[in-house]
Amino acid sequence: MSEGPKGLRISIRWKIVILLGLVVGAITGLDALLVPTRAAEAERHSLRQRSQAAAAMLADSVRPALEFEQSDAAQQGLRAALADPLVLWASVYDQQGQRITAVGDGSPSGRSRVLALTQAESGLVAGLAEVTTEDGNPLGWVGVGLRADGVSERRASTQQTIAIQGVLVAIVGLMIAFWIATQITKSVSEIRLAAERIARGDVDRELQLRPSNDELGDMARSFHRMNERLRELSRAAARVADGDLTGEIGGDGELYASFRQMLQSLRELTTRIASSSESVSSAAAGMFSAVREQQTLATQQTSALEEIRKTLESLSDAARGVAEDASSVRDMSGRTLESSQRMAEHTRLVSAHSERIGEILQLIQDIADRSDLLALNAALEGTKAGEVGRGFSLVAAEMRRLSEHVMDSVRDIRKLVADMRAASHSSVLATEESTKLAKDAASAAVKISDAVRRQQEGTNQAKVAADEVVRAVNESLSGAEDTTASAESLLELSHDLKNTLRAFRTGETA
Amino acid sequence: MTQVVLLSHGGVACALPAAQVVGGLGADVPSIELFGREETQPRRTLVVETPVGRRVVWCEEARFDELDPDAMQPVPPLIASRLNLPHVVGLSGEAGDLRWLVDLARWEEP
């Protein structure tokens, strides 16, 4: 806000008073100068006409005296003019302009002087009239001088009166002007104070302006309306500041339209920020979880890599043991091969014995079968022998049961022998497989020795690589911690933003 | 009690009167088929003496035993006509074991 131009500060009331004083002074001065002068000129002009008229009347009265050159008669005719108190003198001049006779004091001696007096601004006014015969022949001139000193006195008196009146009018007018200007200035000052209060933003209180019935009253009422509208705007702004974006703002005009547009923009902005903060919050939470998970994984990887490194060291140590063991395996495989060959021979011998047992069992079964048949026949014979053969039949029945038991046992033994033969066969196959495996084991032991040696080299390289990976993962962990801190900050910021946005009510459901 | 020779003929439990059975022999003897089926696993044969002549029947196993006459009953005519086996003369249901009672005197060549 500019402070205004520098310089002497003069109140409006004084400006009005000074202006009015100057106007009154100028008018009074002009009146004091011009009015008496013009009045004096008018009076002098009147006196001049009056002297001309007097001269003309005297010219008629002195004409006979001049025709007959009787100066006494002419002087007698002039004396009538002295009856007028304003007449100072009257004189008669011949055709050459020389004074013939005169009455009164101070008459000029020649007509030219009288003629000069008619034009001069002096204390007297002179009039001149020509005297002619009946035929119009010139006889001479009559001059009359009137007293004009009262004109100047009246002019001076008039000027004084006008000056006094002007001063009085100026004083009264200035007082009235000062009072009116004070009233105007007071109203203007109140309006100014109200404007300053509005300018400061203090629009909550009612304005104490007197509603006069003039332009200042209109201005005060306009200020009242402006204050009310600004108060409504202020309350709307307070609601907006309090986060309530749901209200509506009425009113026409660019300011209200701009305010409504600002409120609508704030609503949209708040909604967009809420949506964005929701997305940022979700993204931050997701990022935080992902980073945490990554950190956890990295930690687990570090532990796992440490375990792997230790395992590789163990593997390296174990590989040396395996190499030694492989050598032992190779030796043992040779001995196993010999044992397998001996076992195969023994198994074949067992199989041969099983064959023999089968043959014996077949023989036993045939015997039992024959015994059964024999027991049947014996029972039949015993039956035919009647009561005598009953004991024989009983023996036969017992013999039959015995043969059945034998055949049951033979069947069981045959089954066992069959199982044994199958086992022997499997054992032979297993022994052959074992022999083959022993050969393969010896060969594999050699390969294992070579493989273990290569594995040792690979293990050492893997251990070095694991160390490198551990270092890289540790560096990644350090970076993940920074990222976690950033994600936490972002998450907190998004939560703060959401909490802040909760203070704004846009009338839309979240 | 009736003395019989119990036999298994092709898995079918049968009974012959012990008085008709002369004795048992090995499986390598020509024998007759009671039910019109091929021999499965003949292990032995029984020599049966009937009024119409001697018959040799094969079996998986045979043994001498006694049956309760009250458990025996003839084959119902309707079943006998359907079986068309005239040498099957009755049934024995002793102790829950169903056995065909066979009389080889009524056996006819197929």
Side-chain angles (χ1 to χ4, degrees):
Chain A
M1 186 75 184
S2 64
E3 295 293 332
K6 301 290 185 183
L8 183 61
R9 178 183 170 85
I10 301 173
S11 173
I12 290 176
R13 77 183 74 175
W14 290 113
K15 287 181 180 177
I16 293 173
V17 169
I18 291 170
L19 181 62
L20 191 61
L22 290 175
V23 170
V24 170
I27 292 172
T28 304
L30 287 174
D31 286 346
L33 287 175
L34 297 179
V35 172
T37 302
R38 289 187 178 177
E41 287 178 354
E43 188 176 0
R44 187 178 290 276
H45 180 70
S46 177
L47 289 174
R48 192 173 291 120
Q49 287 180 340
R50 189 172 171 178
S51 64
Q52 290 287 351
M57 284 189 305
L58 289 175
D60 289 337
S61 62
V62 298
R63 182 186 309 130
L66 286 179
E67 283 179 345
F68 296 102
E69 295 180 357
Q70 296 176 349
S71 59
D72 293 339
Q75 190 178 19
Q76 196 65 35
L78 291 176
R79 288 191 184 280
L82 292 177
D84 190 347
L86 287 179
V87 177
L88 282 176
W89 52 265
S91 57
V92 178
Y93 301 91
D94 58 15
Q95 290 182 359
Q96 286 73 34
Q98 295 298 317
R99 186 173 62 188
I100 300 172
T101 184
V103 294
D105 298 326
S107 64
S109 59
R111 189 182 67 94
S112 59
R113 292 290 306 276
V114 175
L115 193 58
L117 285 173
T118 59
Q119 304 298 328
E121 293 289 335
S122 60
L124 62 89
V125 174
L128 194 63
E130 189 177 13
V131 182
T132 61
T133 64
E134 293 292 334
D135 299 331
N137 295 319
L139 295 175
W141 297 84
V142 174
V144 176
L146 298 180
R147 190 180 289 114
D149 51 352
V151 174
S152 297
E153 292 173 358
R154 280 193 295 277
R155 183 172 65 181
S157 173
T158 302
Q159 284 179 336
Q160 187 179 0
T161 303
I162 290 174
I164 293 169
Q165 288 177 348
V167 170
L168 292 174
V169 168
I171 291 171
V172 173
L174 289 176
M175 289 175 67
I176 294 170
F178 184 80
W179 181 79
I180 293 171
T182 301
Q183 295 301 315
I184 293 172
T185 307
K186 196 172 180 181
S187 297
V188 170
S189 181
E190 289 176 351
I191 293 171
R192 180 183 62 81
L193 291 174
E196 285 182 357
R197 211 171 70 190
I198 292 170
R200 285 196 308 271
D202 184 10
V203 294
D204 286 338
R205 286 185 295 173
E206 288 288 340
L207 295 178
Q208 300 300 323
L209 297 176
R210 286 174 296 182
S212 58
N213 193 18
D214 53 11
E215 289 82 355
L216 289 174
D218 295 340
M219 186 185 293
R221 282 186 285 277
S222 298
F223 262 82
H224 273 294
R225 285 198 299 276
M226 182 176 71
N227 191 51
E228 288 174 1
R229 302 312 300 267
L230 286 174
R231 188 184 305 132
E232 292 174 3
L233 277 181
S234 173
R235 287 172 182 165
R239 287 200 303 273
V240 170
D242 194 38
D244 184 7
L245 305 179
T246 59
E248 293 296 334
I249 296 171
D252 300 329
E254 190 175 352
L255 177 62
Y256 295 99
S258 299
F259 210 90
R260 280 194 292 272
Q261 188 177 1
M262 181 190 73
L263 186 59
Q264 183 62 28
S265 299
L266 271 176
R267 285 178 191 147
E268 294 173 359
L269 182 63
T270 304
T271 304
R272 281 204 299 273
I273 289 175
S275 174
S276 300
S277 68
E278 196 68 36
S279 302
V280 169
S281 177
S282 301
M287 191 171 84
F288 181 70
S289 301
V291 171
R292 273 296 171 89
E293 189 176 354
Q294 184 185 5
Q295 199 175 10
T296 305
L297 284 174
T299 306
Q300 291 174 353
Q301 283 176 353
T302 305
S303 302
L305 286 169
E306 188 64 27
E307 288 295 324
I308 288 170
R309 197 178 62 79
K310 291 178 181 176
T311 304
L312 287 172
E313 287 180 354
S314 301
L315 277 176
S316 181
D317 295 337
R320 283 192 291 274
V322 168
E324 295 171 359
D325 293 343
S327 178
S328 300
V329 166
R330 190 177 53 194
D331 298 338
M332 290 172 66
S333 296
R335 292 197 292 271
T336 301
L337 182 59
E338 294 174 0
S339 299
S340 297
Q341 288 172 344
R342 283 199 299 273
M343 188 182 295
E345 291 175 2
H346 294 165
T347 303
R348 278 193 290 273
L349 185 59
V350 170
S351 181
H353 290 171
S354 298
E355 293 286 342
R356 179 60 183 154
I357 290 170
E359 292 172 0
I360 294 170
L361 285 175
Q362 184 61 43
L363 180 59
I364 293 172
Q365 190 175 14
D366 290 344
I367 292 170
D369 192 43
R370 287 177 187 173
S371 298
D372 183 60
L373 184 58
L374 185 59
L376 175 63
N377 290 330
L380 291 172
E381 291 297 328
T383 302
K384 290 172 184 173
E387 196 61 31
V388 179
R390 177 168 292 276
F392 192 74
S393 296
L394 291 175
V395 172
E398 193 62 31
M399 191 173 166
R400 187 187 61 80
R401 277 193 293 274
L402 183 62
S403 65
E404 285 178 350
H405 288 162
V406 169
M407 282 193 287
D408 290 340
S409 299
V410 167
R411 276 194 293 271
D412 293 339
I413 292 170
R414 190 186 293 278
K415 185 174 181 304
L416 289 173
V417 170
D419 292 343
M420 193 169 69
R421 288 174 65 185
S424 298
H425 183 67
S426 300
S427 179
V428 168
L429 293 177
T431 303
E432 291 175 353
E433 185 68 22
S434 176
T435 303
K436 185 174 179 299
L437 285 175
K439 290 179 181 175
D440 294 343
S443 174
V446 174
K447 292 179 180 176
I448 285 170
S449 295
D450 294 339
V452 165
R453 183 177 47 77
R454 289 196 296 273
Q455 184 196 349
Q456 270 185 310
E457 296 174 359
T459 303
N460 290 331
Q461 292 175 357
K463 195 168 67 174
V464 172
D467 291 339
E468 292 291 332
V469 172
V470 167
R471 274 199 297 278
V473 170
N474 285 332
E475 291 175 0
S476 172
L477 261 177
S478 176
E481 287 175 357
D482 295 341
T483 308
T484 302
S486 300
E488 281 180 339
S489 300
L490 187 57
L491 194 58
E492 289 175 0
L493 284 174
S494 64
H495 286 165
D496 292 343
L497 184 57
K498 282 167 68 177
N499 290 330
T500 305
L501 285 174
R502 281 195 191 97
F504 290 96
R505 297 180 293 282
T506 60
E508 296 180 5
T509 55
Chain B
M1 301 297 284
T2 303
Q3 293 177 332
V4 295
V5 173
L6 303 178
L7 69 156
S8 173
H9 183 87
V12 179
C14 305
L16 291 171
Q20 289 186 357
V21 179
V22 177
L25 296 174
D28 51 348
V29 178
S31 57
I32 63 173
E33 168 59 43
L34 294 180
F35 304 113
R37 297 185 300 185
E38 292 185 357
E39 296 177 0
T40 53
Q41 285 181 328
R43 199 157 63 88
R44 63 192 52 178
T45 54
L46 294 175
V47 179
V48 180
E49 190 67 40
T50 70
V52 296
R54 177 170 287 193
R55 304 277 191 261
V56 179
V57 60
W58 65 271
C59 61
E60 286 95 11
E61 60 177 357
R63 61 185 171 89
F64 176 80
D65 208 338
E66 292 179 341
L67 290 177
D68 186 358
D70 295 336
M72 297 178 184
Q73 54 185 349
V75 176
L78 180 60
I79 295 175
S81 64
R82 288 295 180 186
L83 283 174
N84 196 22
L85 295 170
H87 51 281
V88 176
V89 296
L91 287 166
S92 171
E94 188 176 356
D97 293 333
L98 182 65
R99 287 183 180 274
W100 297 103
L101 301 179
V102 177
D103 182 8
L104 288 181
R106 305 180 66 171
W107 186 82
E108 295 176 354
E109 284 285 347

